[in-house]
Amino acid sequence: QVRLVESGGGLVQAGGSLRLSCAASRNIISIVTMGWYRQAPGKQRELVATITDGGSTNYADSVKGRFTISRENAKNTVYLQMNSLKPEDTAVYYCYTRLRIENYWGQGTQVTVSD
């Protein structure tokens, strides 16, 4: 089992930056994949980015070139650096991982981008 706690959300103007953090309650060095999803009001939850234990990354087309996912195993933390934010990036952002057959989610952190 693992508990995920996100932080770093907030209100920012379009074009600004935020860095989200996801702190895990256990060592993540052996966790193959961790990622970020987001859910805007009235929309389905969607994948934003994932990172493997080997450092391979994957991004949604809508955030490529603007967002960067990274992981710091020594701190059991995954980050999402978000630059050039747009109003359409407004959503609740969730940290995610999967251990064996179970999915784990954080409680979410709100990101609001004003135009």
Side-chain angles (χ1 to χ4, degrees):
Q1 289 187 343
V2 62
R3 182 168 176 254
L4 304 173
V5 179
E6 303 96 335
S7 61
L11 174 64
V12 64
Q13 287 189 329
S17 298
L18 283 174
R19 188 176 81 155
L20 305 183
S21 299
C22 170
S25 61
R26 53 156 281 178
N27 194 310
I28 67 169
I29 195 169
S30 61
I31 298 179
V32 175
T33 301
M34 299 192 71
W36 290 92
Y37 282 69
R38 67 186 181 187
Q39 187 166 19
K43 294 188 177 181
Q44 289 189 332
R45 193 171 295 190
E46 63 175 3
L47 173 70
V48 176
T50 60
I51 185 167
T52 69
D53 55 346
S56 296
T57 58
N58 180 55
Y59 296 94
D61 287 342
S62 59
V63 306
K64 281 181 182 176
R66 300 187 298 122
F67 290 11
T68 303
I69 188 171
S70 60
R71 60 193 287 171
E72 191 170 359
N73 292 336
K75 294 187 176 181
N76 300 326
T77 300
V78 176
Y79 303 100
L80 185 68
Q81 178 66 44
M82 305 186 295
N83 299 328
S84 302
L85 282 161
K86 304 175 181 180
E88 51 263 44
D89 295 318
T90 295
V92 178
Y93 284 70
Y94 296 92
C95 186
Y96 162 84
T97 193
R98 182 176 177 87
L99 298 179
R100 294 189 180 89
I101 61 171
E102 290 202 44
N103 296 319
Y104 293 90
W105 299 91
Q107 83 288 351
T109 186
Q110 177 70 47
V111 171
T112 302
V113 184
S114 63
D115 54 15

